Amino acid sequence: MKQGSRHRFYLHEAERENMPGPDTCGDFMPFYHQGIFHLYYLHKYCVYEVLTTDFVHYGEPRMAIPCGSPEDQDWHIGTGSVVEREGVFHFYYTGFNESYRDTPGKHEQVLMRAISTDLIHWEKDASFHVAPDTEHYGGLHWRDPQVFWNDQEQEYWMAVTATEKDADHNRGGCTHIMKSSDLANWRAGTAIYAPGTFATHECHDIFRMGDWWYMVFSNYTRWWETRYRMAQSPKGPWITPAVDDMFDGRGFYAAKTVSDGKNRYLVGWQAFRTGMDDLKPYQWGGSTLVHELVQRPDGTLGVKPVQALEDSYRKALPQATVARRGTWTVENGIRGREPFGFGWVEVARMTEACLVRAKLSWTPETLACGLMLHTEGERLEKWCQVRLEPSRNRVIFDRSNKFDGDQQFVEERYVPLAGEHEAEIKVITSGNIVVLYVNDTALAARAYDYEPGGLGLFVEHGEAVFTELDIME
């Protein structure tokens, strides 16, 4: 496998010369086999593939399964999954054809399949064609087949995105199950999750981790989001984590997991903003973003950076503390104090792609503390901010160009900080992407209108200490 450049998938699409065009990557369908992660994804209505062994170096993208003609059911190909049985690989996917809506006996969405013996050459299986079960479900949503081995039932299950019949408006999303012992013969099961909450559950991923089963799905009912549920059995009941059921922010979508037998990774896309403009809304599709899953003692899930990616930052950037506002001292860490407002100190100059690590501690009355990124100007005319607000249990990614008239949503994540007085921060920047981790909580965002600039630390209405500060490229 040819190894591409480091961090390629953290750059926006127009910067990635090896992609098949300056468009977006769609839903990822990761599959692991013999030491290689096969990342299948949607692009121009077809399925493309790129290979990696470590989520740091990538091979060249190639088309895996082409879409059909306007007369074919799979005129547009939608999300699916790969499973292997006895040396044969089965790619289950969605065949979309919007023109079929008004054709008697035809459907917009149908479950389809392709077969391969080498993961390179795929042949579409015309015998596999599963139309919506309109007797028990609504007729529109019938897609995103995810096939997995259910070791409790000793059979294959296929999770299907469906909708309840005659459900309340935009609340009929449900997860239908089909079952098979051999992948050749499938029988209908029942819906295992129908909360009456979402319009649809897209891009299912059901897997077992220790004593728990998990269901990851995405939905667009009120905003884009990737969420998860947990259960002691794949039949349910499926529990919503009481505090936080997301992995990242509202620009991270259609994430599915893959395991190498030791670790499990969450592969999704971080959305672009329209026109690569910070002041425009996020659009569908983006660039790959991968987190490693963390299972907490209570069974809930968090995420952390992929270790190989973190390890790839090896060169330390020089640090030089220049106090800009407030009282700052350098002894057993960098300590900032500003009881009545905002104080900050510059500590380094950033590069195009860098990793920042630090441990923070703060006094109980502190309103906010964190990192300043991409700073510019003698009067701090431009900046980005990783902002921890302990009493409000949240981390925010903020930018200086969000000003008068900007009514976009706040890019924030819940982090349990109240009652705590310390946290670990890791931030990866590359091009216009910023991916931040506070303990095991992630938040990714875009910052198009910024050069690498300076790196700083800040505190508001309180006192904070920054220790073990590493700035790497």
Side-chain angles (χ1 to χ4, degrees):
M1 180 178 68
K2 182 179 179 179
Q3 298 294 299
S5 62
R6 188 180 72 170
H7 312 306
R8 179 193 302 163
F9 273 21
Y10 279 93
L11 300 176
H12 67 63
E13 217 71 16
E15 297 172 327
R16 291 163 53 197
E17 62 182 7
N18 291 320
M19 287 301 299
D23 298 293
T24 62
C25 288
D27 307 349
F28 282 85
M29 298 153 278
F31 179 70
Y32 180 79
H33 183 67
Q34 295 183 347
I36 297 175
F37 296 97
H38 298 251
L39 304 187
Y40 297 96
Y41 61 95
L42 303 182
H43 180 74
K44 294 184 177 179
Y45 308 121
C46 302
V47 175
Y48 280 76
E49 177 196 31
V50 69
L51 307 181
T52 181
T53 59
D54 56 7
F55 299 112
V56 178
H57 304 92
Y58 293 83
E60 300 301 319
R62 71 173 192 91
M63 183 185 290
I65 304 177
C67 62
S69 70
E71 291 72 38
D72 296 323
Q73 176 63 56
D74 61 354
W75 182 24
H76 298 160
I77 292 180
T79 307
S81 63
V82 180
V83 65
E84 183 266 341
R85 176 179 168 81
E86 297 178 349
V88 178
F89 302 93
H90 304 250
F91 199 129
Y92 293 86
Y93 64 91
T94 311
F96 279 91
N97 195 322
E98 294 84 347
S99 67
Y100 280 10
R101 288 180 179 177
D102 301 321
T103 303
K106 300 293 186 179
H107 303 276
E108 182 192 59
Q109 300 172 25
V110 168
L111 308 183
M112 303 181 73
R113 181 171 67 184
I115 302 295
S116 174
T117 58
D118 59 8
L119 287 173
I120 298 175
H121 305 94
W122 293 92
E123 182 177 350
K124 295 180 181 180
D125 180 0
S127 69
F128 189 86
H129 185 280
V130 181
D133 178 2
T134 54
E135 179 181 355
H136 301 100
Y137 297 96
L140 177 57
H141 299 294
W142 189 256
R143 63 177 184 275
D144 304 347
Q146 185 240 336
V147 178
F148 62 97
W149 176 252
N150 184 334
D151 58 3
Q152 287 190 357
E153 301 291 323
Q154 289 295 297
E155 61 184 353
Y156 294 97
W157 278 23
M158 179 194 296
V160 181
T161 293
T163 50
E164 293 183 285
K165 209 167 189 178
D166 303 320
D168 290 342
H169 182 63
N170 283 337
R171 289 183 174 272
C174 65
T175 302
H176 169 70
I177 293 295
M178 297 183 65
K179 303 178 180 182
S180 174
S181 61
D182 55 8
L183 299 182
N185 302 289
W186 289 90
R187 65 188 188 278
T190 59
I192 61 170
Y193 187 56
T197 306
F198 306 110
T200 182
H201 308 157
E202 292 195 302
C203 304
H204 285 99
D205 188 65
I206 299 176
F207 60 92
R208 189 174 187 176
M209 199 171 180
D211 295 332
W212 288 94
W213 285 84
Y214 297 93
M215 179 194 299
V216 175
F217 64 92
S218 294
N219 82 87
Y220 49 78
T221 304
R222 288 172 292 279
W223 50 68
W224 290 347
E225 55 197 14
T226 298
R227 298 186 178 272
Y228 78 96
R229 301 292 182 258
M230 48 196 295
Q232 292 293 318
S233 164
K235 298 178 181 178
W238 292 94
I239 302 167
T240 301
V243 176
D244 182 21
D245 65 340
M246 295 175 62
F247 303 99
D248 202 318
R250 287 164 56 182
F252 181 65
Y253 199 73
K256 295 165 74 74
T257 75
V258 62
S259 175
D260 60 4
K262 297 182 296 183
N263 303 310
R264 185 168 289 272
Y265 302 93
L266 184 68
V267 184
W269 47 262
Q270 176 64 20
F272 300 147
R273 289 191 180 275
T274 303
M276 306 296 181
D277 187 336
D278 285 327
L279 303 183
K280 296 292 179 61
Y282 281 123
Q283 65 182 38
W284 186 92
S287 47
T288 317
L289 179 56
V290 183
H291 302 297
E292 183 177 332
L293 283 182
V294 175
Q295 187 180 46
R296 304 184 184 110
D298 64 356
T300 59
L301 298 177
V303 295
K304 65 180 182 179
V306 174
Q307 191 61 52
L309 177 62
E310 187 173 346
D311 292 344
S312 71
Y313 292 86
R314 299 186 178 95
K315 181 181 177 181
L317 293 175
Q319 300 184 31
T321 303
V322 180
R324 300 295 189 183
R325 183 183 178 91
T327 302
W328 293 87
T329 59
V330 180
E331 185 177 352
N332 298 322
I334 303 174
R335 181 182 300 271
R337 183 174 182 272
E338 180 50 77
F340 302 113
F342 166 78
W344 80 287
V345 61
E346 184 176 299
V347 296
R349 302 300 295 177
M350 300 178 67
T351 57
E352 183 71 15
C354 62
L355 166 70
V356 183
R357 289 184 292 235
K359 290 187 177 179
L360 283 67
S361 59
W362 53 85
T363 54
E365 75 280 359
T366 300
L367 174 66
C369 56
L371 304 181
M372 303 292 291
L373 309 175
H374 304 314
T375 62
E376 290 185 25
E378 290 297 319
R379 299 176 61 190
L380 196 57
E381 286 85 356
K382 296 182 73 171
W383 50 267
C384 295
Q385 191 180 68
V386 177
R387 179 184 180 87
L388 274 66
E389 296 184 349
S391 64
R392 297 174 180 172
N393 286 315
R394 67 176 181 173
V395 59
I396 295 173
F397 179 75
D398 208 354
R399 295 180 275 103
S400 57
N401 58 8
K402 292 179 64 177
F403 196 58
D404 184 35
D406 184 352
Q407 303 299 320
Q408 297 185 67
F409 62 81
V410 176
E411 295 195 81
E412 63 179 327
R413 290 279 283 122
Y414 171 87
V415 186
L417 298 173
E420 302 291 333
H421 301 296
E422 60 183 12
E424 182 179 27
I425 287 184
K426 296 179 180 180
V427 178
I428 297 172
T429 68
S430 184
N432 58 63
I433 273 191
V434 178
V435 186
L436 64 95
Y437 299 85
V438 180
N439 298 333
D440 58 8
T441 297
L443 176 61
R446 299 279 183 177
Y448 293 105
D449 192 28
Y450 295 87
E451 298 300 323
L455 170 70
L457 317 174
F458 83 92
V459 62
E460 283 188 25
H461 298 281
E463 185 173 341
V465 180
F466 300 78
T467 60
E468 300 182 30
L469 178 62
D470 294 320
I471 308 164
M472 315 290 291
E473 68 168 343

